[in-house]
Amino acid sequence: MAVIPCHCYRSVGSDKPYLSGQSLRRCAPSPAVSVSFRRRISCVASSAVAQKVGLKDFLHLDDFDKDTILKMLDRALEVKALLKSGDRSFRPFEGKTMAMIFTKPSMRTRVSFETGFTLLGGHAIYLGPDDIQMGKREETRDIARVLSRYNDIIMARVFAHKDILDLAKYATVPVINGLTDYNHPCQIMADALTMVEHIGRFEGTKVVYIGDGNNIVHSWLLMASVIPFHFVCACPKGFEPDAKTVEKARKAGISKIEITNDPKEAVKGADVVYSDVWASMGQKEEAEYRRQVFKGFQVNQNLMDLAGSKAFFMHCLPAERGVEVTDEVIEAPNSIVFPQAENRMHAQNAVMLHVLGK
């Protein structure tokens, strides 16, 4: 069996031995290490990071069953109460780091994730669009593998849904979907949490979304595939949500799903009237055209009156006041948009605890 002797050298009289090439003194030799033993260690180390063992990703709401979703919401309430009390002794993420990838900037997503992870003992690292240039300077699969070796968890807010799928496929640590053009599961977890707090329940409610059939709508539809409630999307013709996602929600047979072009009829009896911007990031060149098409889909006081006095107003923010929603509605007593925004942090804390097995 071949044996490799190991020697080390130290520079004498220098505080930078790695720069000095003179006055070197040989140290005591280290124990010999066999080549075959070193190869066995290398093989074990490589296989240990080849897959996620006992860890989970958070990519789509319908990846989870009803019991798991409800447990995460209960955990969010529990940890929120602890943090609100001023108790900072719960630090399950002590010694852990999270890489936060942003190809699509956001105030709420960054601050809620970074603050939440920090409050629970961890350290979050922000990686903006110019830090990585995912898919341009470096392939997504390579980024996933590298970040997995530095961090315990990865959160990504990206444009293309394929990017989050590729990150999850190649990462060996949990990956959380902070938003893609297809869906936004963390937002809907925060929305459900807010409804539990203000309505007293989430199951069996009527949620009416007014506006573009976008990633928020897709996430509501995926949630409706798991938790029973009545979901209505009122949007202009040609701006309906993805047909396959609608069909998937209907086929699940869990919730009542309606897609309509009549917002006035849709809001009747609503527990929640929900809105979002008409032109999302990446669609701003269509903003003026969309303003014309979406006339009649603004959430104003007249529409809220049709919904009834028990209806709450929700918006995932940022809002274009005076466009998709009026100042009067967003500032009204039954508007819960700011508790909803706060709950991004609390819902995401529960998600991170779940995927890390805490």
Side-chain angles (χ1 to χ4, degrees), residues 249-280:
R250 285 177 170 157
K251 279 188 174 180
I254 303 294
S255 301
K256 183 178 180 180
I257 307 294
E258 293 183 79
I259 309 298
T260 179
N261 306 121
D262 186 351
K264 292 181 179 179
E265 187 63 31
V267 296
K268 292 178 181 178
D271 293 291
V272 166
V273 176
Y274 198 114
S275 185
D276 189 10
V277 292
W278 292 340
S280 299

Side-chain angles (χ1 to χ4, degrees), residues 33-89:
V33 180
S34 71
V35 172
S36 62
F37 179 67
R38 292 175 66 187
R39 284 176 180 161
R40 284 200 302 275
I41 292 175
S42 177
C43 290
V44 170
S46 297
S47 63
V49 294
Q51 58 184 337
K52 298 176 193 180
V53 180
L55 299 174
K56 314 165 198 66
D57 299 313
F58 186 80
L59 307 179
H60 318 91
L61 290 166
D62 65 329
D63 292 338
F64 303 92
D65 59 22
K66 175 183 175 181
D67 185 56
T68 303
I69 294 286
L70 295 179
K71 281 181 178 176
M72 282 192 275
L73 292 175
D74 285 342
R75 194 77 192 280
L77 288 167
E78 174 191 333
V79 177
K80 178 179 180 177
L82 192 68
L83 292 174
K84 286 287 192 180
S85 74
D87 188 339
R88 297 292 184 267
S89 63

Side-chain angles (χ1 to χ4, degrees), residues 222-288:
L222 295 179
M223 180 67 99
S225 303
V226 182
I227 307 287
F229 64 99
H230 183 184
F231 179 70
V232 186
C233 173
C235 54
K237 289 181 180 179
F239 291 86
E240 292 85 359
D242 174 64
K244 288 183 179 178
T245 307
V246 174
E247 185 63 20
K248 184 177 187 177
R250 285 177 170 157
K251 279 188 174 180
I254 303 294
S255 301
K256 183 178 180 180
I257 307 294
E258 293 183 79
I259 309 298
T260 179
N261 306 121
D262 186 351
K264 292 181 179 179
E265 187 63 31
V267 296
K268 292 178 181 178
D271 293 291
V272 166
V273 176
Y274 198 114
S275 185
D276 189 10
V277 292
W278 292 340
S280 299
M281 196 177 298
Q283 300 173 327
K284 294 306 180 184
E285 69 281 356
E286 303 174 24
E288 193 51 47

Side-chain angles (χ1 to χ4, degrees), residues 27 121 145 162 172 175 230 239 253 284 302 305 351 358:
C27 302
R145 289 162 169 152
K162 186 178 184 301
T172 53
V175 172
H230 183 184
F239 291 86
K284 294 306 180 184
N302 289 337
D305 288 342
V351 168
K358 297 292 185 180

